[in-house]
């Protein structure tokens, strides 16, 4: 089993200490590499004056971490593809792959918050889900073309590349048939292209049946977070069956999937809850305001007015919070029930003191990971 870090930088009341928050994130990533974690992933959120989510650029964050590490892979969970100009995103990720020595895992998402989308790319407005999906799909198509290393053109609903009618005549760059027609640019090449060929592995943050089918059919790996084990089973099986059909080979249950879980390890169950609960619930109160509790239902369970968000409500559903023995048991359950191959630990919830996050990481590495090393 592979273990990775999901790192959402959140520091309520500490925006004026951003440099120190970054130093703590660096220390966490370096410790994760030294402990043998496979990868570390960074989020993208904008305009977060609340300081609950304060990483606007996971690619730039990844470049900083890559410069301080040697082996750990660098992911985005996720770059919000609909917010970026696709050629700029292609260039920046290719640069990161080159700078990191080919350690990039490309995580992509469609975006959730209106205040972000409407101030970065109104076409990504999440209130129009069909347009948002179409924009996402076209952006991913352009990324793949741009990473090919070949001259390409694109004409879609939202973008046309190269821009029509641009003439080209330069003695150091002859107007050849590779990219011009009658002296007009008709194809283009994005440089650099990634070190990993044909491009770095692709991931998408997914949950709905439609998104699961689309990612699996397109050969994109999936990343989940919220659902309990019983509800993950049907999602994992849908991904497996769709990917098997699309690829022409049988996928194993859990293959191609990463799962984010909220993880905190301490010497006792009581200590784990006491130290982690406030920071964890800050995240859930923030995100459930938009998502609601439906993704936290067990298989066959209906959401009712009786369901209330609390630590007790979450603990039996999707938390890995407790002693090393307890957490190892929950990891084993995920492996045995849904074939989980890749677990991403989310410990750095907003407001959790850095020293406590570091201690939890240390305990997980020393007392949980060895149980799954075979």
């Amino acid at each position: 089993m592979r273990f990775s870090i999901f790192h959402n930088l959140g520091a309520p009341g500490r925006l004026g200490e951003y440099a120190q928050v970054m130093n703590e994130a660096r220390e966490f990533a370096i410790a994760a590499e030294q402990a043998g974690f496979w990868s570390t992933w960074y989020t993208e959120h904008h305009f977060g004056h609340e300081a609950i989510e304060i990483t606007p650029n996971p690619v730039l964050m990844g470049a900083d971490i890559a410069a301080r590490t040697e082996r750990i892979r660098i992911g985005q969970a996720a770059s919000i593809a609909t917010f970026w100009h696709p050629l700029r995103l292609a260039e920046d990720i290719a640069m990161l792959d080159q700078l990191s020595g080919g350690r990039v895992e490309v995580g992509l998402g469609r975006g959730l918050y209106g205040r972000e989308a409407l101030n970065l790319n109104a076409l990504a407005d999440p209130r129009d889900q069909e347009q948002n999906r179409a924009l996402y799909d076209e952006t991913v198509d352009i990324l793949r073309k741009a990473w090919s290393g070949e001259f390409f053109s694109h004409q879609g609903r939202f973008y046309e590349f190269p821009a029509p009618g641009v003439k080209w005549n330069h003695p150091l760059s002859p107007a050849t048939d590779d990219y011009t027609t009658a002296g007009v640019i008709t194809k283009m090449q994005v440089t650099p292209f990634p070190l990993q060929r044909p491009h770095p592995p692709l991931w998408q943050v997914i949950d709905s049946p439609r998104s699961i089918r689309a990612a699996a059919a397109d050969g994109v790996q999936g990343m989940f977070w919220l659902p309990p084990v019983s509800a993950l089973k049907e999602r994992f099986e849908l991904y497996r069956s769709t990917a098997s059909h699309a690829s022409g080979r049988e996928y194993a249950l859990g293959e191609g999937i990463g799962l984010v879980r909220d993880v905190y390890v301490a010497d006792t169950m009581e200590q784990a809850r006491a130290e982690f609960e406030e920071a964890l619930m800050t995240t859930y109160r923030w995100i459930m305001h938009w998502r609601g509790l439906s993704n936290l239902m067990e298989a066959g369970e209906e959401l009712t007015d009786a369901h209330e968000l609390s630590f007790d409500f979450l603990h039996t559903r999707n938390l890995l919070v407790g002693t090393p023995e307890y957490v190892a048991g929950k990891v084993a359950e995920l492996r045995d029930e849904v074939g989980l191959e890749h677990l991403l630990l989310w410990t750095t919830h907003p407001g959790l003191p850095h020293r406590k996050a570091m201690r939890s990481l240390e305990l997980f590495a020393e007392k949980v990971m060895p149980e799954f090393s075979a």
Side-chain angles (χ1 to χ4, degrees):
M1 181 177 285
R2 291 180 297 178
F3 295 101
S4 294
I5 299 300
F6 175 90
H7 201 141
N8 175 42
L9 271 71
R14 298 183 64 197
L15 275 181
E17 304 172 26
Y18 200 93
Q20 179 58 31
V21 174
M22 291 289 292
N23 284 335
E24 293 169 1
R26 293 168 180 137
E27 184 179 359
F28 200 81
I30 291 167
E33 177 175 77
Q34 292 171 345
F37 282 81
W38 184 71
S39 60
T40 183
W41 303 68
Y42 299 96
T43 58
E44 177 179 349
H45 285 290
H46 302 270
F47 320 126
H49 65 270
E50 306 87 358
I52 293 173
E53 297 165 317
I54 53 174
T55 312
N57 190 324
V59 179
L60 192 57
M61 182 74 196
D64 183 272
I65 298 302
R68 291 168 166 79
T69 56
E70 297 179 357
R71 299 175 305 280
I72 198 165
R73 296 186 66 80
I74 309 294
Q76 308 92 46
S79 286
I80 307 305
T82 56
F83 294 174
W84 290 69
H85 188 286
L87 299 183
R88 172 64 75 184
L89 183 58
E91 289 176 338
D92 285 2
I93 289 177
M95 278 286 292
L96 177 58
D97 201 45
Q98 292 285 347
L99 289 167
S100 67
R103 288 189 278 150
V104 170
E105 301 284 320
V106 179
L108 301 171
R110 295 191 295 112
L112 175 66
Y113 304 153
R115 77 171 177 186
E116 296 182 345
L118 293 171
N119 288 291
L120 291 168
N121 184 0
L123 293 172
D125 187 345
R127 294 172 298 184
D128 187 340
Q129 281 290 295
E130 290 306 311
Q131 179 167 287
N132 179 284
R133 288 179 183 274
L135 177 62
Y136 175 86
D137 291 342
E138 186 171 338
T139 299
V140 175
D141 182 36
I142 294 167
L143 291 176
R144 284 177 158 145
K145 290 177 179 178
W147 288 331
S148 70
E150 306 293 332
F151 288 103
F152 74 94
S153 62
H154 175 86
Q155 189 163 4
R157 173 178 169 183
F158 303 101
Y159 299 104
E160 181 178 1
F161 303 122
V166 178
K167 294 182 179 180
W168 187 253
N169 180 21
H170 195 291
L172 297 182
S173 178
T176 65
D177 294 340
D178 291 333
Y179 67 102
T180 64
T181 300
V184 175
I185 296 175
T186 53
K187 290 186 178 182
M188 62 191 303
Q189 184 182 64
V190 170
T191 57
F193 42 84
L195 184 60
Q196 299 177 85
R197 309 302 299 144
H199 53 70
L202 291 177
W203 297 75
Q204 184 180 352
V205 178
I206 54 177
D207 184 72
S208 70
R210 180 175 175 180
S211 294
I212 294 168
R213 289 191 188 96
D218 201 26
V220 176
Q221 297 171 97
M223 191 174 293
F224 295 88
W225 171 35
L226 290 170
V229 175
S230 65
L232 283 176
K233 288 182 178 179
E234 60 186 26
R235 290 167 167 85
F236 276 44
E237 177 56 35
L238 178 59
Y239 184 94
R240 185 206 65 78
S241 61
T242 306
S244 296
H245 178 77
S247 67
R249 70 169 181 86
E250 191 66 22
Y251 268 57
L253 186 66
E255 182 181 353
I257 293 174
L259 177 67
V260 177
R261 278 296 194 242
D262 310 294
V263 178
Y264 192 80
V265 187
D267 294 325
T268 68
M269 297 295 290
E270 295 77 15
Q271 180 188 358
R273 175 170 183 167
E275 294 179 352
F276 196 52
E277 181 173 4
E278 182 178 356
L280 175 80
M281 295 310 298
T282 295
T283 290
Y284 274 84
R285 292 187 186 103
W286 176 258
I287 294 177
M288 292 305 113
H289 174 81
W290 287 280
R291 290 182 180 267
L293 299 182
S294 60
N295 282 3
L296 291 160
M297 297 296 103
E298 300 281 358
E301 182 183 18
E302 296 292 331
L303 179 63
T304 70
D305 291 340
H307 289 104
E308 293 185 1
L309 180 63
S310 69
F311 183 90
D312 291 324
F313 169 79
L314 294 170
H315 193 257
T316 58
R317 293 171 184 262
N318 69 350
L319 302 185
L320 277 63
V321 178
T323 63
E325 296 76 19
Y326 177 84
V327 171
K330 300 298 284 186
V331 175
E333 179 187 19
L334 288 164
R335 178 198 59 196
D336 297 342
E337 293 293 323
V338 298
L340 185 67
E341 298 179 351
H342 186 195
L343 177 67
L344 293 85
L345 285 64
W346 187 359
T347 298
T348 53
H349 285 271
L352 181 69
H354 176 60
R355 60 182 175 80
K356 293 182 178 180
M358 291 290 288
R359 177 57 178 160
S360 175
L361 182 71
E362 179 182 21
L363 285 171
F364 189 94
E366 291 181 355
K367 297 187 176 183
V368 179
M369 284 174 63
E371 298 294 319
F372 303 91
S373 59

